[in-house]
Structure formats: structure tokens, C-alpha cells
Amino acid sequence: MTETPPDAQIQSLAAAIPAMEAAFRDAAARAMKPDLPVVLMLGFFQVAVILARTIRQYRKAAGMPVGWPAELTLLLGSVRTCALQRLVDPALTAPQALRLFRTANTLAQAVLQSLPVMEKKNKPAPNPFARSKAPPPLPRLPAGRNDPSAIANLPPDLSAMLETAIGAAAGVKPAINGVTGAGP
């Protein structure tokens, strides 16, 4: 048995893509028919997913760009939208709804994978000789509770209020049933 050269294999893969795209268009059109029974609709949605995956793999193996033509990506998006719209159908049984949820998710992933790859912005290489910026200074924390200067730095009216509150708290027992007592 003789092997075909890699160039011939790539050409045969590239030649098969238009036929698969036509099959995908047909499956997508059939899946989006509104009067289609649920079982057939689910089958056509799954065929569209399988064909989308196969076309993507063929394009990659043939050395073609990963991104699909815009009209195929839009068609795949329409199939996904149709699947999502059918999810609210009250005639769906629980197993059918579960299959449709899975298929709609797979269709959404296929749409994302059919988009062209975004170009990465080149970041400048870090300069090993550049000095890093010094971190900003930390804010000063307020003085501790036992520090008498903490009260002295308050404005006079707040200082007086604080002294009154401390004195009142130290001299009065807690209220018990609404009756307060004097200090010990």
C-alpha cells in the first residue's frame, strides 16, 4: 500500500470542506424549522454540532485559518438562538429538555470556537535594570487606647464628650430591668 504525500492529503482535506459546509447549512436549516418534532429537532441540532466540530478540525489540518467565514458563524449563532428559544417549549419532557440544554451549550461553544483568533498585543519586555517604584507609605495608625496623647489630640468638644462618657461608664453600674445603680 502506498502512502499519499502530505501535500495531497492536505489538498484532499481542503477539497472536502465545501461539501461539509453545504451539509452543515442543510442541517442548520432543517434544525431551525419551527414545526419540527422535538426528537428530530434535537437530532439536527446535534448533527450541526458534529459538522461544526469536523469542519473546524478539517480547516486546522488543512492549514486554513481557524476562524470561519462570517456567514457560517452567523448561521451557527442562529442555530444556537433557535435552540435556546425552544427551551421554553412546555411540550418538552425532562430528558428532552436536558438534551436540549446540553446541545445549546455545545452550540454556544462551537460559535465561540468558530470566531477568528484575536491578535495578542505585544507587551514590551520588562527592563531588568529599571527600578521599581517604591511602595506608597502606609497611613499612620491612630494611637493606642492607653496612650493619653490620643485624647489630647482630639478637638476640645470631642475630648470633653469622651471624658464625660468614660467617667459616666466607670461610675454607673449597668442597667438591670431599667434601674441603674451608682458606682461600687
Side-chain angles (χ1 to χ4, degrees):
M1 183 173 189
T2 62
E3 288 189 31
T4 56
D7 289 340
Q9 290 176 347
I10 291 174
Q11 289 175 354
S12 68
L13 289 174
I17 292 174
M20 283 192 292
E21 288 177 353
F24 170 75
R25 285 184 186 91
D26 183 54
R30 291 175 188 249
M32 292 190 291
K33 286 185 180 176
D35 58 343
L36 200 63
V38 174
V39 176
L40 289 175
M41 173 199 57
L42 283 169
F44 281 119
F45 282 148
Q46 289 175 339
V47 167
V49 167
I50 291 167
L51 285 170
R53 183 180 302 126
T54 305
I55 291 169
R56 189 176 60 250
Q57 291 170 344
Y58 266 58
R59 288 177 66 86
K60 182 178 179 182
M64 297 174 74
V66 177
W68 284 21
E71 64 101 6
L72 282 180
T73 302
L74 290 173
L75 181 60
L76 185 58
S78 297
V79 172
R80 177 195 48 88
T81 303
C82 182
L84 291 173
Q85 290 172 347
R86 294 291 297 259
L87 282 171
V88 296
D89 187 0
L92 287 177
T93 64
Q96 290 171 340
L98 186 61
R99 277 182 62 194
L100 189 54
F101 273 114
R102 287 182 185 148
T103 304
N105 182 46
T106 308
L107 282 165
Q109 290 173 350
V111 168
L112 290 174
Q113 291 171 345
S114 71
L115 297 173
V117 177
M118 299 295 290
E119 293 182 19
K120 292 183 180 178
K121 293 181 180 178
N122 292 335
K123 288 184 178 179
N127 184 353
F129 301 108
R131 288 187 170 176
S132 63
K133 292 182 181 178
L138 295 174
R140 295 192 69 187
L141 298 175
R145 288 176 22 173
N146 296 332
D147 186 9
S149 67
I151 294 177
N153 293 336
L154 291 175
D157 56 341
L158 289 178
S159 179
M161 287 175 42
L162 184 60
E163 289 291 337
T164 306
I166 291 173
V172 176
K173 291 185 179 177
I176 301 174
N177 294 333
V179 178
T180 60

